Amino acid sequence: MTTTHRPGMAFALRFDFRNPESAGTAMADRYAAALDMAEWADGLGCTRITVSEHHGSPDGYLPSPVQMLAAMAARTKQCASSSPR
């Protein structure tokens, strides 16, 4: 994906990966879309991406944020990544 950084535009993204049954979306599709969004946002000046960690939630969430953060880091060049403590 090719995008151009726009100087002066700084923003952050936060993903919680909630996926209620009513959304009709597979978690794999949601994860793939988040990776695409992270790469796209990186090219637009995104400064930070945060993912939330949740275990045993009935509507999805993300039980293991380290793997998602690593995948996002592999597809971005400038964004910092984190998971709240």
Side-chain angles (χ1 to χ4, degrees):
M1 183 176 295
T2 303
T3 56
T4 304
H5 177 69
R6 298 177 186 172
M9 184 176 170
F11 61 96
L13 296 178
R14 181 180 183 112
F15 294 96
D16 68 11
F17 294 99
R18 292 180 73 173
N19 193 24
E21 190 175 319
S22 61
T25 305
M27 285 307 296
D29 293 337
R30 195 163 294 259
Y31 294 152
L35 292 173
D36 289 343
M37 283 188 262
E39 183 177 358
W40 173 78
D42 184 59
L44 294 176
C46 183
T47 58
R48 175 166 300 278
I49 298 173
T50 302
V51 298
S52 299
E53 176 179 7
H54 299 277
H55 300 278
S57 296
D59 60 352
Y61 281 107
L62 185 67
S64 302
V66 173
Q67 289 83 355
M68 179 56 74
L69 290 171
M72 287 178 169
R75 293 189 49 185
T76 60
K77 294 180 171 67
Q78 299 177 30
C79 285
S81 301
S82 67
S83 180
R85 294 179 187 163

mmCIF file of all heavy atoms in Angstrom, residues 1-2 10 19 26 35 44-45 53 57 64 66-67 72 79:
data_model
loop_
_atom_site.group_PDB
_atom_site.id
_atom_site.type_symbol
_atom_site.label_atom_id
_atom_site.label_comp_id
_atom_site.label_asym_id
_atom_site.label_seq_id
_atom_site.Cartn_x
_atom_site.Cartn_y
_atom_site.Cartn_z
ATOM 1 N N MET A 1 0.853 -1.159 0.000
ATOM 2 C CA MET A 1 0.000 0.000 0.000
ATOM 3 C C MET A 1 0.904 1.227 0.000
ATOM 4 O O MET A 1 1.777 1.354 0.840
ATOM 5 C CB MET A 1 -0.874 -0.024 1.253
ATOM 6 C CG MET A 1 -1.850 1.106 1.323
ATOM 7 S SD MET A 1 -2.949 0.971 2.756
ATOM 8 C CE MET A 1 -3.844 -0.510 2.368
ATOM 9 N N THR A 2 0.696 2.144 -0.894
ATOM 10 C CA THR A 2 1.507 3.340 -0.976
ATOM 11 C C THR A 2 0.674 4.545 -0.578
ATOM 12 O O THR A 2 -0.399 4.778 -1.124
ATOM 13 C CB THR A 2 2.035 3.547 -2.409
ATOM 14 O OG1 THR A 2 2.760 2.382 -2.783
ATOM 15 C CG2 THR A 2 2.922 4.758 -2.484
ATOM 16 N N ALA A 10 -1.156 14.929 12.563
ATOM 17 C CA ALA A 10 -0.800 13.879 13.517
ATOM 18 C C ALA A 10 -2.076 13.368 14.189
ATOM 19 O O ALA A 10 -2.940 14.144 14.572
ATOM 20 C CB ALA A 10 0.164 14.407 14.563
ATOM 21 N N ASN A 19 -16.312 -7.460 18.351
ATOM 22 C CA ASN A 19 -16.948 -8.043 17.172
ATOM 23 C C ASN A 19 -18.227 -8.755 17.594
ATOM 24 O O ASN A 19 -18.281 -9.979 17.643
ATOM 25 C CB ASN A 19 -15.978 -9.014 16.485
ATOM 26 C CG ASN A 19 -16.449 -9.409 15.106
ATOM 27 O OD1 ASN A 19 -17.207 -8.701 14.478
ATOM 28 N ND2 ASN A 19 -16.007 -10.562 14.643
ATOM 29 N N ALA A 26 -16.176 -12.013 10.437
ATOM 30 C CA ALA A 26 -15.249 -12.991 11.020
ATOM 31 C C ALA A 26 -14.095 -12.241 11.675
ATOM 32 O O ALA A 26 -13.657 -11.195 11.184
ATOM 33 C CB ALA A 26 -14.717 -13.916 9.938
ATOM 34 N N LEU A 35 -4.921 -4.380 10.164
ATOM 35 C CA LEU A 35 -3.556 -4.298 9.632
ATOM 36 C C LEU A 35 -3.507 -3.363 8.429
ATOM 37 O O LEU A 35 -2.580 -2.550 8.302
ATOM 38 C CB LEU A 35 -3.047 -5.685 9.255
ATOM 39 C CG LEU A 35 -2.813 -6.642 10.425
ATOM 40 C CD1 LEU A 35 -2.471 -8.034 9.906
ATOM 41 C CD2 LEU A 35 -1.726 -6.114 11.341
ATOM 42 N N LEU A 44 -0.215 8.411 6.512
ATOM 43 C CA LEU A 44 -0.892 9.698 6.646
ATOM 44 C C LEU A 44 -0.430 10.490 7.864
ATOM 45 O O LEU A 44 -0.945 11.567 8.129
ATOM 46 C CB LEU A 44 -2.408 9.491 6.724
ATOM 47 C CG LEU A 44 -3.055 8.948 5.458
ATOM 48 C CD1 LEU A 44 -4.534 8.701 5.697
ATOM 49 C CD2 LEU A 44 -2.855 9.912 4.301
ATOM 50 N N GLY A 45 0.518 9.950 8.632
ATOM 51 C CA GLY A 45 1.040 10.676 9.783
ATOM 52 C C GLY A 45 0.608 10.160 11.140
ATOM 53 O O GLY A 45 0.804 10.830 12.157
ATOM 54 N N GLU A 53 -6.510 -5.136 25.342
ATOM 55 C CA GLU A 53 -6.432 -6.570 25.630
ATOM 56 C C GLU A 53 -7.611 -6.977 26.500
ATOM 57 O O GLU A 53 -7.896 -6.335 27.506
ATOM 58 C CB GLU A 53 -5.134 -6.863 26.373
ATOM 59 C CG GLU A 53 -4.973 -8.297 26.809
ATOM 60 C CD GLU A 53 -3.650 -8.538 27.519
ATOM 61 O OE1 GLU A 53 -2.916 -7.595 27.787
ATOM 62 O OE2 GLU A 53 -3.370 -9.706 27.804
ATOM 63 N N SER A 57 -14.087 -12.375 26.528
ATOM 64 C CA SER A 57 -15.219 -11.499 26.247
ATOM 65 C C SER A 57 -16.146 -12.167 25.235
ATOM 66 O O SER A 57 -15.680 -12.752 24.262
ATOM 67 C CB SER A 57 -14.731 -10.162 25.690
ATOM 68 O OG SER A 57 -13.963 -9.492 26.646
ATOM 69 N N SER A 64 -4.634 -11.553 22.841
ATOM 70 C CA SER A 64 -3.165 -11.536 22.804
ATOM 71 C C SER A 64 -2.670 -10.358 21.959
ATOM 72 O O SER A 64 -2.403 -10.512 20.763
ATOM 73 C CB SER A 64 -2.629 -12.848 22.231
ATOM 74 O OG SER A 64 -3.068 -13.938 22.996
ATOM 75 N N VAL A 66 0.164 -8.728 21.832
ATOM 76 C CA VAL A 66 1.562 -8.696 21.378
ATOM 77 C C VAL A 66 1.681 -9.134 19.928
ATOM 78 O O VAL A 66 2.394 -8.509 19.125
ATOM 79 C CB VAL A 66 2.465 -9.542 22.302
ATOM 80 C CG1 VAL A 66 3.863 -9.651 21.741
ATOM 81 C CG2 VAL A 66 2.490 -8.938 23.697
ATOM 82 N N GLN A 67 0.973 -10.182 19.547
ATOM 83 C CA GLN A 67 1.044 -10.668 18.172
ATOM 84 C C GLN A 67 0.484 -9.629 17.196
ATOM 85 O O GLN A 67 1.038 -9.414 16.114
ATOM 86 C CB GLN A 67 0.303 -12.001 18.021
ATOM 87 C CG GLN A 67 1.006 -13.159 18.688
ATOM 88 C CD GLN A 67 0.724 -13.261 20.173
ATOM 89 O OE1 GLN A 67 0.061 -12.427 20.785
ATOM 90 N NE2 GLN A 67 1.243 -14.302 20.794
ATOM 91 N N MET A 72 1.408 -5.263 13.192
ATOM 92 C CA MET A 72 1.265 -3.854 12.820
ATOM 93 C C MET A 72 2.632 -3.196 12.650
ATOM 94 O O MET A 72 2.845 -2.423 11.716
ATOM 95 C CB MET A 72 0.428 -3.108 13.854
ATOM 96 C CG MET A 72 -1.034 -3.454 13.793
ATOM 97 S SD MET A 72 -1.967 -2.591 15.078
ATOM 98 C CE MET A 72 -3.637 -2.943 14.547
ATOM 99 N N CYS A 79 4.724 4.776 13.039
ATOM 100 C CA CYS A 79 3.814 4.701 14.186
ATOM 101 C C CYS A 79 4.444 3.945 15.344
ATOM 102 O O CYS A 79 5.050 2.906 15.153
ATOM 103 C CB CYS A 79 2.538 3.945 13.816
ATOM 104 S SG CYS A 79 1.397 4.855 12.810
#
